[in-house]
Amino acid sequence: MTFSLGSVVPWGRSFHEYLLFFDLRDDELHKRVLGCADGPAGFNSELTARGGSIVSCDPLYQYSGEEIRSRIDVCYPTIHEQVATNRNLFVWDTIHSPEQLRDWRFSAMNVFLADYEKGRRDGRYCAATLPYLPFAADSFDLAICSHLLFYYSDMLSRDCHDAAIREMLRIAPEVRIFPLVDLNGRVSRYRDALITTLKKTGFEVTIRDVRYEFIRGGNQMMTITRKT
Ligand SMILES: C[S@@+](CC[C@H](N)C(=O)[O-])C[C@H]1O[C@@H](n2cnc3c(N)ncnc32)[C@H](O)[C@@H]1O
């Protein structure tokens, strides 16, 4: 898969949102976490500040902080317009307006940008593209992936989903994915078939409701574990 800065729309969520949509408890924050497709989210920075252990991987990290910041600024007006036009796809209970959404997202992305160059030097932001990751088997306890798999079902094939999930399971015994709906808020066309295939090939799959719903109907998270 080719990747260029001009084809990505960087948009990052906060530490608090990650806790909610991955249903992460306090006693899980000591785990070695691999954040796949973390983009400009604030999770890595804040977890690191709390003493946690995390590496984020995303092809976006081949670019400098300045390049990512510029791309965010270029993309933001289009994102704003799309959110405003499609307001009914979202639940506005916690975030009340597109303007408040902008403030939340920019706050999270500024947390990321302030940490990014140091984190890159420390090896916490790694340029890598699913379904191939440059990590040894079992080098993490938990791999998480938000707003890529299932969400981009129109752009990533079923085979790519399958390979990406298995790659994460090679590296960590537990994988969590959120959300399970696509960009239009429909349950991903790959969800059920992938559950069946994964269960048949030695994995346990559970779906649970989480305390986070911004995309209407998108309040479910998938956990996949190796059978012991
Ligand atoms: C919508 S953003 C989600 C960012 C973050 N996970 C969040 O929820 O705030 C999607 C991210 O997926 C990254 N991405 C796209 N294709 C990828 C791939 N094949 N492997 C890993 N990351 C990818 C993009 O660069 C982008 O940063």
Side-chain angles (χ1 to χ4, degrees), residues 63-84:
Y63 300 102
S64 69
E66 265 321 299
E67 288 172 310
I68 296 173
R69 182 187 291 281
S70 303
R71 182 69 190 155
I72 291 169
D73 290 341
V74 166
C75 291
Y76 173 67
T78 309
I79 296 172
H80 179 85
E81 194 185 310
Q82 284 173 351
V83 169

Side-chain angles (χ1 to χ4, degrees), residues 37-90:
D38 272 347
F43 185 67
N44 185 316
S45 171
E46 295 211 29
L47 184 60
T48 302
R50 285 166 167 76
S53 166
I54 175 164
V55 173
S56 297
C57 55
D58 192 305
L60 185 68
Y61 304 151
Q62 65 194 275
Y63 300 102
S64 69
E66 265 321 299
E67 288 172 310
I68 296 173
R69 182 187 291 281
S70 303
R71 182 69 190 155
I72 291 169
D73 290 341
V74 166
C75 291
Y76 173 67
T78 309
I79 296 172
H80 179 85
E81 194 185 310
Q82 284 173 351
V83 169
T85 308
N86 297 294
R87 288 184 77 104
N88 60 331
L89 285 181
F90 304 101

Side-chain angles (χ1 to χ4, degrees), residues 23-219:
D23 202 15
L24 283 165
R25 303 182 311 265
D26 281 354
D27 64 352
E28 294 181 302
L29 297 182
H30 68 279
K31 290 186 178 196
R32 296 170 302 163
V33 179
L34 175 66
C36 297
D38 272 347
F43 185 67
N44 185 316
S45 171
E46 295 211 29
L47 184 60
T48 302
R50 285 166 167 76
S53 166
I54 175 164
V55 173
S56 297
C57 55
D58 192 305
L60 185 68
Y61 304 151
Q62 65 194 275
Y63 300 102
S64 69
E66 265 321 299
E67 288 172 310
I68 296 173
R69 182 187 291 281
S70 303
R71 182 69 190 155
I72 291 169
D73 290 341
V74 166
C75 291
Y76 173 67
T78 309
I79 296 172
H80 179 85
E81 194 185 310
Q82 284 173 351
V83 169
T85 308
N86 297 294
R87 288 184 77 104
N88 60 331
L89 285 181
F90 304 101
V91 176
W92 297 100
D93 290 350
T94 308
I95 300 172
H96 298 292
S97 65
E99 290 68 31
Q100 195 177 18
L101 177 69
R102 172 198 61 208
D103 294 346
W104 276 42
R105 294 285 176 267
F106 271 85
S107 164
M109 292 191 286
N110 283 330
V111 166
F112 161 82
L113 286 166
D115 178 54
Y116 177 61
E117 296 295 356
K118 179 179 186 316
R120 202 154 63 137
R121 284 194 300 278
D122 293 346
R124 284 187 290 109
Y125 296 105
C126 171
T129 306
L130 282 167
Y132 307 108
L133 299 178
F135 305 107
D138 286 316
S139 39
F140 294 90
D141 302 313
L142 172 67
I144 56 179
C145 183
S146 79
H147 300 91
L148 176 70
L149 297 175
F150 299 126
Y151 194 50
Y152 284 105
S153 288
D154 284 348
M155 284 150 243
L156 302 175
S157 67
R158 176 180 156 176
D159 284 351
C160 179
H161 278 73
D162 189 279
I165 293 170
R166 287 172 200 278
E167 177 70 340
M168 289 190 284
L169 285 160
R170 179 183 69 79
I171 290 163
E174 178 176 350
V175 167
R176 297 184 192 179
I177 303 174
F178 178 89
L180 309 183
V181 293
D182 64 19
L183 279 166
N184 294 307
R186 290 183 295 245
V187 171
S188 164
R189 71 189 80 152
Y190 303 133
R191 187 192 70 173
D192 294 344
L194 281 170
I195 291 174
T196 304
T197 313
L198 287 163
K199 281 185 172 171
K200 272 189 193 154
T201 49
F203 300 102
E204 281 176 2
V205 184
T206 55
I207 292 182
R208 61 181 125 144
D209 290 351
V210 294
R211 289 172 298 129
Y212 181 95
E213 182 179 5
F214 181 57
I215 304 162
R216 197 172 291 287
N219 66 329

